Every structure is written in C-alpha cells, then in structure tokens.
Amino acid sequence: MKQQLSQLLFLGLLAAQALSVQYQLDVVTGSRKYDDTDGSFVAKVKGSKGEVTFGVLDDPSKNDFQLGATDNFAAESDIDIGKVNCVEIEAESDDAWMVDYITVTAGSEKTYVYNTEGSYLSSDTSEGKDKMSFCKQGDATYVLAITTKDENHAGTDNIHARLTISSTKSRKGNTTTGILDNKGKDDFIRGATDTFTLPNLKNIGKAGCIFITAAQDDAWLFDEIKVTRGKSSRTFKNEDSTWLSSDTNEGKNELEICY
C-alpha cells in the first residue's frame, strides 16, 4: 500500500512538472545618464488566458539595471497564460528607472514589447510613473534602414531617437518603436546606413508618415529612412536637411515626414 501511494505521489509530481510552463523576462535598461537604478520593482506578464507573477525583479548575484544592460529573470506557472499581451511593472521605490524594451520567452516563442512612451518608472510620480504596462502592438516585423547624411558633424553618439509610423489610412492607426539602438554597435555614423529589425509592431498597412523624436542633444542629421514590412516599403527623405536634437538651439526635437 505504501509503495503504491509513493508511486502515485511520484506520478503526480511528474504530471505537475509536465504541466508547468517556464517564462523568462529579458529586460533592457536605457543607456542615457540616470536611466539605471538601484530601486525595487515587481513584474507580471499578462496573457490571453491568465497571468504569471515574477515578484521582485532581483538577481542576487549581480547589480541589476545598469546602463544599457540586459537582465534576465525566470518564473514558473502551473497554467499556460496563452499569447503574451503585456508586461506590467510597478515601482516599489523612488529611484527612477528607464526600461528600453523587454523580451518575454515562453518555450520557443518570443514576444517583444517596447517603452513607446519613453517614461521612467518611479514610486515618486514627480519623477515617473509608479506603474507601466509594456504591451505587444501586433505581429508585424518592420525593418528600418536609416542613412545618416555624409557631411560634417551629421553623425551622433547620443540622440535616443524613437519612430512612430502611421498609415495612409487613418483607421489603421500607427505603431511606435523603442529607442533606435543596435546594442554593441556605433550607430548613426556620418554617411552610414544602420538597420533596425523590430518584431511585434502593429501592421498599419502602407506607411504614410513617420514621426521622429529626439530625447538627447548630440545633434543628428539623417538623409533618409526606409520603412519595410514584408514586400511593402517606403523611403522618407529629409529633404529640408532638418537637424534633430533635444536642444532646440541645435535642431528640432521632433520631426514629421509624410509621403
């Protein structure tokens, strides 16, 4: 009898393990001065069938949330939460933190969510938001090929640009990137073309306009931005040679170009 009970318990344990789902968060911190933090934050992932709680995001073996760094956190759920919709993060302290983007991994499936607002997280709401949801925008992958002008001082080391792409049809809305930055690469060098591949954006059909914002003041002059989704592409030229910078004495901090 005891042997049978032990076998049943063992089989039950195996079944529970088989049903559990592993989730991983890869969180990228912004690379601007003050984007890092020593604060405390809790996270959960919300899906189409439920949610999984990660609790406090903390790796005891390292100093988390350093400038430009990627931190990895794991959680296990006894249910499959379905398609990932959003990552919700809440601040438990006032040391502000800038999330750049987050990758959620469940099995072989990855979901990418971006800080489209460029907002900080902080329990002090004069410094940022105490809670933010980073949500999947869609299933489309966009490729941006951005060419910097080939002239003196056109390149930048610190611009922190984001891009919003809007449709030719207003009902299809728009979709927004995170900070345009290829980690480990020196982007936006004079005369160079940089390519950014951005999954999980919204399919807005044919691109009609782009809206670029600059969060830093090392002025940048780009020549053109080619927006590609599948076989559809459009190139937006900076025909007026408008400089971008958060310092409006050096250029515009936002620029819209329509086709």
Side-chain angles (χ1 to χ4, degrees):
M1 184 68 180
K2 287 183 179 180
Q3 186 176 3
Q4 289 178 332
L5 183 58
S6 297
Q7 288 176 337
L8 287 172
L9 289 170
F10 178 69
L11 290 172
L13 180 61
L14 288 178
Q17 289 175 338
L19 289 171
S20 67
V21 182
Q22 303 290 326
Y23 292 90
Q24 179 171 311
L25 285 184
D26 299 321
V27 186
V28 180
T29 296
S31 54
R32 288 182 298 178
K33 189 177 182 181
Y34 306 124
D35 281 359
D36 57 337
T37 185
D38 288 319
S40 178
F41 303 85
V42 296
K44 66 173 67 172
V45 176
K46 295 183 174 182
S48 57
K49 297 179 181 178
E51 62 184 44
V52 57
T53 299
F54 279 73
V56 176
L57 298 177
D58 179 47
D59 181 347
S61 68
K62 60 182 287 196
N63 191 4
D64 301 312
F65 313 134
Q66 298 303 291
L67 291 179
T70 302
D71 295 288
N72 317 108
F73 307 97
E76 187 176 285
S77 174
D78 57 1
I79 63 166
D80 181 349
I81 67 168
K83 295 289 186 181
V84 171
N85 291 328
C86 297
V87 179
E88 182 181 279
I89 301 180
E90 184 172 0
E92 293 189 325
S93 58
D94 61 2
D95 189 4
W97 178 35
M98 174 66 72
V99 173
D100 184 0
Y101 68 92
I102 303 169
T103 307
V104 184
T105 304
S108 61
E109 186 172 343
K110 292 182 182 292
T111 302
Y112 296 81
V113 294
Y114 307 92
N115 186 349
T116 58
E117 303 174 22
S119 297
Y120 283 89
L121 274 160
S122 174
S123 61
D124 180 349
T125 53
S126 67
E127 292 190 353
K129 295 185 174 182
D130 57 2
K131 183 186 292 186
M132 289 180 66
S133 290
F134 305 89
C135 295
K136 177 182 174 183
Q137 297 177 64
D139 292 311
T141 296
Y142 282 78
V143 179
L144 307 179
I146 303 178
T147 303
T148 299
K149 280 270 194 182
D150 187 8
E151 63 178 68
N152 285 340
H153 311 298
T156 181
D157 288 321
N158 193 20
I159 191 65
H160 283 241
R162 281 184 174 81
L163 188 73
T164 295
I165 309 162
S166 60
S167 175
T168 54
K169 298 179 180 179
S170 58
R171 63 183 173 82
K172 291 196 172 182
N174 56 57
T175 192
T176 302
T177 72
I179 294 171
L180 297 173
D181 179 35
N182 285 314
K183 301 298 180 186
K185 181 178 182 294
D186 191 3
D187 298 310
F188 309 133
I189 295 173
R190 171 182 171 174
T193 298
D194 297 288
T195 302
F196 304 89
T197 301
L198 303 162
N200 291 135
L201 294 182
K202 181 182 178 182
N203 181 355
I204 52 91
K206 197 77 170 176
C209 296
I210 58 172
F211 185 76
I212 312 134
T213 59
Q216 289 288 66
D217 62 1
D218 186 12
W220 173 46
L221 180 61
F222 73 90
D223 182 26
E224 65 179 35
I225 298 177
K226 182 179 181 181
V227 179
T228 301
R229 178 190 51 79
K231 295 181 179 180
S232 173
S233 67
R234 269 193 170 163
T235 300
F236 297 84
K237 298 281 292 184
N238 186 0
E239 293 179 349
D240 295 329
S241 293
T242 301
W243 289 79
L244 280 168
S245 174
S246 62
D247 181 349
T248 54
N249 292 317
E250 295 186 351
K252 291 186 174 182
N253 59 12
E254 55 187 37
L255 175 66
E256 183 177 48
I257 303 174
C258 294
Y259 201 81

